[in-house]
Amino acid sequence: MTSDTPDHDLVPDHDLIPAPLSTGHRGTAPGYFALDERTTLDAGPGTGTTARWLRSALGPATGLPLADGTGPHAIRLRISEEVERRYGPEGYRLSTETADSAVLVEGGGPAGVFWAAQTLRQLLGPDAYRKAPVRKDGDWELPYTTIEDAPRFGWRGLLLDVSRHFTPKDDVLRHLDLLAAHKLNVLHFHLTDDQGWRIEIKRHPRLTEAGSWRSRTKWGHRASPLWTETPYGGFYTQDDIREIVAYAAERHITVIPEIDLPGHSQAAISAYPELGNTDVVDTAALTVWDTWGVNPNVLAPTETVLRFYEGVFEEVLDLFPSTFVHVGGDECPKDQWKASPAAQARIRELGLADEDALQSWFIRHFDRWLADRGRRLIGWDEILEGGLAPGAAVSSWRGYGGGIAAATAGHDVVMCPEQQVYLDHRQAPGEDEPVPIGFVRTLEDVYRFEPVPPGLPPEAAAHILGTQANVWTEVMENRARVDYQVFPRLAAFAEVAWSALPAPDARDYAGFERRMSTHYRRLDALGVDYRPPAGPRPWQQRPGILGRPIEGAPPNV
């Protein structure tokens, strides 16, 4: 089936993001496979979730029924052993120019079929991302092409901080759709911090009754004199979490929970004062923190605290099937432990050298506890201090250094250096950027980010599981602000995480920018409030709201 009047909006590489390994076309002239009332979905074994997703995503946009059916005019979904051998379970081959007038979608596994379906949607053009048909003619065409593709990294993630500013459940589901559209497969769910506890724990109800809301909120950077005086909060019920996890699984995304300890814990201590260092601070007077930064109130090194958090993790493991569980482990001031007679007695009792070793004792305890239940601990790179259990993995955030040290020592690593892929950092210099935080990280800067440090020996590089962009929401008070900070840079990050790109200086940023001209239209169709290339729109600015810009190029540490 070909069209005499094809839509030539698509260029030869089809403006795909992330860029695939290869695209090809057998003939000498362009041709098009038409989707119409005859088009059916032929779902082979193991591809049912992708068939349901295709029907739910493309049906409303095209107005086509996409009924089950075989024969000509079908979109055939298949798991292929040959594709799996060549490209792995997430690899795929997509051909729209088959001999029997069908579209053949082959994946190395169910995930590969799903990523191929995401590519198919891109091939249909930006209007395929809408929730109802907007074309009067109703014609839908796929360019004749064969695409073969596979991801560079197995961990392609985004951290979403829902503690500092809460993301309602429906917006989390929307984020999962946006991750899937960019072939990202991990949502790191930062559920607890000083500013709010966001997950229902049935055996400890005050964690959400008291710990999920604060009386007011800092407006801007912590040095800002401004406050929002409205009480602020929110949390996910356990059924909400089950829904989020199931929705993600249908999109081949793993949700990894983070329960922060022993620092970043004031929300928990405010709900249960016995968790804090009661011999040096009046923990009963603490409330959920209403500002940003590193908080001095940390967990006490007691058996009571261990049992409490074991109970928390028991419920968390029941909700999240992910192999990895994140325990934070970062930014834990030791001042209270140094001043606490009980903590000092604990150090002596355990035969530890100092307070750093006490933090390591915390982490090692939960590493063993999780390992006994078939899970793996992952934490921020501070968990390297004082020694790290063999099975633990590291999120390298302070730069490359922690990841290099961990990988060299045989630990698995996720690279997420703040100088490169913290998306709360500002996107351009100047006063128009809303609440400017950190270094300038442009779309091009993110596109030239390289997760594997040059010179890392192959045996260490093999421990780089992948990479992750982090979204910390202190100055992102709503969905529009998160959209602005995340997009379009997440598209560049997705290509870094998925595609086989050359060295950073050799990357074709001009070609990426050209492809983005189409991708912006996809984001428009999806309702994403991204930062335009020319700068923020008037309503995206936040004049007079103090940030903390850092001048100059970020250090390579």
Side-chain angles (χ1 to χ4, degrees), residues 3 45 106 166 173 355 420 429 489:
S3 170
E106 299 174 285
F166 180 66
L173 302 181
E355 292 77 20
Q420 310 298 329
R489 292 183 295 182

Side-chain angles (χ1 to χ4, degrees), residues 45-379:
T47 69
T49 57
T50 295
R52 287 193 295 274
W53 177 85
L54 266 173
R55 192 171 286 114
S56 68
L58 297 186
T62 63
L64 299 176
L66 301 176
D68 291 332
T70 59
H73 320 305
I75 299 173
R76 295 189 183 132
L77 309 179
R78 298 290 187 268
I79 293 175
S80 162
E81 291 184 2
E82 188 269 329
V83 171
E84 198 280 333
R85 284 194 301 271
R86 188 169 183 182
Y87 294 122
E90 289 195 285
Y92 67 86
R93 180 188 296 122
L94 168 62
S95 181
T96 60
E97 48 182 345
T98 62
D100 56 352
S101 298
V103 173
L104 182 58
V105 176
E106 299 174 285
V113 176
F114 182 73
W115 303 132
Q118 294 290 345
T119 298
L120 186 150
R121 188 188 196 187
Q122 288 198 22
L123 291 173
L124 285 170
D127 287 344
Y129 288 79
R130 297 193 178 273
K131 295 186 182 300
V134 297
R135 297 182 181 179
K136 293 181 180 179
D137 56 20
D139 291 337
W140 293 90
E141 296 162 333
L142 293 167
Y144 276 174
T145 187
T146 296
I147 298 170
E148 297 191 3
D149 201 8
R152 179 185 179 192
F153 292 109
W155 185 305
R156 307 179 303 280
L158 180 79
L159 175 142
L160 182 61
D161 166 21
V162 298
S163 178
R164 276 54 175 265
H165 279 101
F166 180 66
T167 301
K169 182 201 68 177
D170 284 353
D171 285 344
V172 176
L173 302 181
R174 173 179 177 266
H175 275 290
L176 290 167
D177 281 329
L178 291 170
L179 293 186
H182 292 82
K183 297 187 174 74
L184 297 172
N185 67 347
V186 172
L187 176 67
H188 177 164
F189 212 13
H190 184 79
L191 289 163
T192 74
D193 216 298
D194 302 300
Q195 294 85 2
W197 186 284
R198 305 296 181 209
I199 178 173
E200 177 188 26
I201 303 297
K202 292 185 181 297
R203 72 189 70 188
H204 302 307
R206 281 188 56 78
L207 286 172
T208 46
E209 290 172 358
S212 68
W213 67 275
R214 52 187 184 257
S215 61
R216 64 175 187 169
T217 295
K218 176 63 70 173
W219 181 229
H221 182 258
R222 62 179 175 272
S224 167
L226 304 176
W227 298 85
T228 299
E229 297 293 344
T230 304
Y232 184 91
F235 67 93
Y236 309 103
T237 67
Q238 293 200 355
D239 280 343
D240 290 338
I241 294 292
R242 291 185 181 97
E243 180 181 358
I244 289 167
V245 170
Y247 195 86
E250 289 176 351
R251 286 147 183 80
H252 299 276
I253 296 170
T254 300
V255 184
I256 295 178
E258 180 178 353
I259 305 295
D260 228 326
L261 61 84
H264 287 291
S265 297
Q266 181 160 321
I269 296 168
S270 72
Y272 291 94
E274 65 271 21
L275 300 177
N277 294 282
T278 56
D279 55 346
V280 293
V281 64
D282 180 10
T283 56
L286 294 177
T287 59
V288 177
W289 212 25
D290 56 13
T291 189
W292 324 124
V294 178
N295 188 293
N297 294 297
V298 303
L299 298 174
T302 65
E303 292 298 318
T304 296
V305 168
L306 296 183
R307 300 292 89 75
F308 183 97
Y309 274 84
E310 287 170 359
V312 167
F313 281 117
E314 282 180 5
E315 296 191 28
V316 167
L317 296 193
D318 186 56
L319 296 169
F320 295 91
S322 60
T323 299
F324 285 101
V325 175
H326 209 290
V327 301
D330 62 314
E331 297 179 328
C332 179
K334 310 300 191 299
D335 295 343
Q336 289 185 358
W337 290 347
K338 290 176 181 178
S340 164
Q344 292 301 309
R346 189 67 153 161
I347 288 172
R348 292 190 297 272
E349 173 193 344
L350 296 169
L352 301 175
D354 54 20
E355 292 77 20
D356 286 340
L358 188 61
Q359 177 170 341
S360 180
W361 168 80
F362 254 110
I363 299 301
R364 285 175 175 268
H365 174 86
F366 286 102
D367 179 78
R368 290 190 299 271
W369 190 91
L370 289 167
D372 288 345
R373 289 154 182 80
R375 307 296 183 97
R376 290 184 65 187
L377 179 144
I378 185 168

Side-chain angles (χ1 to χ4, degrees), residues 374-396:
R375 307 296 183 97
R376 290 184 65 187
L377 179 144
I378 185 168
W380 303 110
D381 53 56
E382 286 96 329
I383 69 173
L384 290 164
E385 299 164 4
L388 188 57
V394 170
S395 301
S396 187

